[in-house]
Amino acid sequence: MTQVLLCGAAVVTLSMGIRHGFGLWLQPITMDRGWTRETFAFALAVQNIAWGIAGPFAGALADRFGAFKVLIVGSLLYSLGLVTMALSTTGLAFTGSAGLLLGMAQSGTTYAVVYGVIGRNVAPEKRSWAMGVAAAAGSFGQFLMVPVENWLIGGFGWQSALFVLGCLALAIVPLAFGLKEPPRTAVTSQQSLGAALREAFGYPSFRWLMAGYFVCGFQVVFIGVHMPSYLKDHGLTPNVATTALALIGLFNVFGTYGAGVLGQRLPKRYILSTIYLLRSLAIVVFLAVPLTPASVYVFSAVMGLLWLSTVPPTNAVIAQIFGVQYLSMLGGFVFLSHQVGSFLGVWLGGKLYDATGNYDIVWWIAVALGIFAAIANLPVKERAIQRAPLPAGAAA
């Protein structure tokens, strides 16, 4: 279990750490290439939707053939995507690299794939805690990598910074060996993939979880990508934005770990509902008070506690209801909903900014969606689904 946790946490640290700094490239790339913010935002929107669409397939492959092979391919795609992102000179090429390639890479190197291994190798009574540890590692990656990426951009230029990150993404390859699982033999009591999908999508609690995760994606990606530019538009220095993103990552270490621990003791639906409600409240207060470095840092710390703290309880509920056989795939489908929200959050941020000259409308959309998600998670039933025994030879 220790090896799985350490290697899984390190993979998520690298993958999510690199990803969370992409907002730092918005202004240098658009200014250098002469693109609008919508061009950059659309590419990252495609990244999020590609990540979401590829997620269930990456999860199904990891469930069937093991996470090891999926992680290797994901690492190579990650490196290729970062290098071609640096070399792109047109909006279309940038969308293909920063959008499509990196989205596919993230589907094979982040939570759904890693959580599948954790779910199969950690005892049920420790599963929520273990997922909290992995999520906290992703948050630490943000805290660690955002200042590093800002330093690379400032010291070597935005293109060279991407080349360095492309090399760093290859470090996922040796870590993947620590998540290599022994071959699993099928038994007649197991469920077929098609039956698992029909069961999950026919179960209301699964659909409610997907609805809540949609909101999670909208909020965190809008803030992560557009907040640096929002702060600069209001006269704050780039260092304030860098510190803000780092604080989100630092405090999310505690938030995600705490959510994982609480998930072992409290109903997870209440944890999720509270997180979404507090996010909306935090945004309202942030918009209401004068914008200063201090208010930004307080907001970032609060949002950090709530940032990815939805991840451990959401995935733990999926495992609790449906078991772990198809955990990566089902987690991938829930994450697809997250990424549809991410697509809209990052794209609408750029689209409405270009149309109105500010981000006000999108901030208030994020508030309304948070209230919706708080309500949507309350009906979730966390108990294991009851299945009739399968006849011998019925499973695929």
Side-chain angles (χ1 to χ4, degrees):
M1 183 182 81
T2 302
Q3 175 180 298
V4 168
L5 270 182
L6 289 175
C7 291
V11 167
V12 174
T13 296
L14 278 173
S15 185
M16 294 299 292
I18 292 172
R19 174 190 182 268
H20 276 304
F22 284 150
L24 299 174
W25 272 268
L26 190 155
Q27 293 202 345
I29 288 180
T30 54
M31 292 173 65
D32 191 37
R33 299 300 194 200
W35 297 339
T36 65
R37 290 191 187 184
E38 186 185 357
T39 301
F40 185 96
F42 181 75
L44 290 201
V46 169
Q47 179 190 113
N48 282 284
I49 200 68
W51 182 1
I53 292 173
F57 297 99
L61 290 171
D63 288 331
R64 177 65 179 85
F65 300 106
F68 169 73
K69 295 178 181 178
V70 175
L71 287 166
I72 296 295
V73 174
S75 175
L76 296 176
L77 285 176
Y78 216 141
S79 181
L80 178 63
L82 289 164
V83 170
T84 53
M85 178 179 171
L87 299 175
S88 298
T89 57
T90 67
L92 182 61
F94 189 74
T95 300
S97 57
L100 186 61
L101 279 177
L102 287 180
M104 293 172 62
Q106 289 160 5
S107 73
T109 57
T110 49
Y111 293 113
V113 171
V114 171
Y115 275 176
V117 182
I118 290 174
R120 288 186 290 269
N121 290 273
V122 175
E125 62 272 13
K126 295 184 178 180
R127 194 176 288 146
S128 178
W129 165 80
M131 290 179 176
V133 170
S139 307
F140 179 75
Q142 179 176 353
F143 171 69
L144 175 69
M145 289 302 300
V146 169
V148 170
E149 291 172 44
N150 185 59
W151 175 76
L152 287 172
I153 293 171
F156 302 98
W158 66 265
Q159 283 183 307
S160 297
L162 287 171
F163 292 143
V164 172
L165 293 182
C167 296
L168 187 59
L170 294 175
I172 294 173
V173 172
L175 293 170
F177 283 88
L179 297 173
K180 195 170 185 179
E181 298 176 273
R184 287 173 288 134
T185 56
V187 296
T188 57
S189 62
Q190 288 184 313
Q191 193 180 31
S192 71
L193 186 147
L197 286 175
R198 289 190 297 272
E199 177 184 77
F201 280 94
Y203 199 64
S205 292
F206 188 75
R207 299 195 296 269
W208 286 123
L209 288 170
M210 291 184 70
Y213 234 28
F214 168 90
V215 175
C216 180
F218 185 100
Q219 293 174 327
V220 301
V221 176
F222 163 66
I223 294 172
V225 172
H226 288 284
M227 192 165 75
S229 297
Y230 172 79
L231 299 178
K232 188 172 183 179
D233 290 343
H234 286 77
L236 299 180
T237 67
N239 286 335
V240 174
T242 302
T243 304
L245 293 179
L247 283 172
I248 289 174
L250 175 61
F251 278 84
N252 197 37
V253 172
F254 305 106
T256 48
Y257 181 79
V261 172
L262 288 175
Q264 297 180 192
R265 304 175 182 177
L266 301 174
K268 299 172 188 64
R269 63 187 182 277
Y270 295 153
I271 297 172
L272 289 167
S273 182
T274 300
I275 290 169
Y276 289 119
L277 188 62
L278 289 177
R279 281 187 187 177
S280 290
L281 180 60
I283 294 172
V284 169
V285 173
F286 179 60
L287 297 177
V289 303
L291 189 63
T292 65
S295 71
V296 172
Y297 298 152
V298 171
F299 172 72
S300 300
V302 173
M303 285 302 296
L305 291 172
L306 309 169
W307 193 250
L308 294 179
S309 52
T310 59
V311 175
T314 298
N315 285 272
V317 168
I318 296 169
Q320 195 169 323
I321 296 173
F322 301 106
V324 298
Q325 183 185 358
Y326 294 109
L327 178 56
S328 290
M329 181 190 66
L330 294 179
F333 273 106
V334 174
F335 194 70
L336 171 58
S337 178
H338 182 284
Q339 294 309 93
V340 173
S342 299
F343 175 93
L344 289 175
V346 69
W347 175 68
L348 280 177
K351 179 72 173 177
L352 293 177
Y353 178 89
D354 288 340
T356 66
N358 59 61
Y359 291 109
D360 293 352
I361 296 174
V362 193
W363 280 115
W364 288 108
I365 291 174
V367 170
L369 287 174
I371 295 171
F372 163 77
I375 297 170
N377 275 274
L378 292 176
V380 171
K381 297 178 181 179
E382 301 178 31
R383 61 180 177 271
I385 197 167
Q386 298 298 312
R387 302 186 182 109
L390 293 176

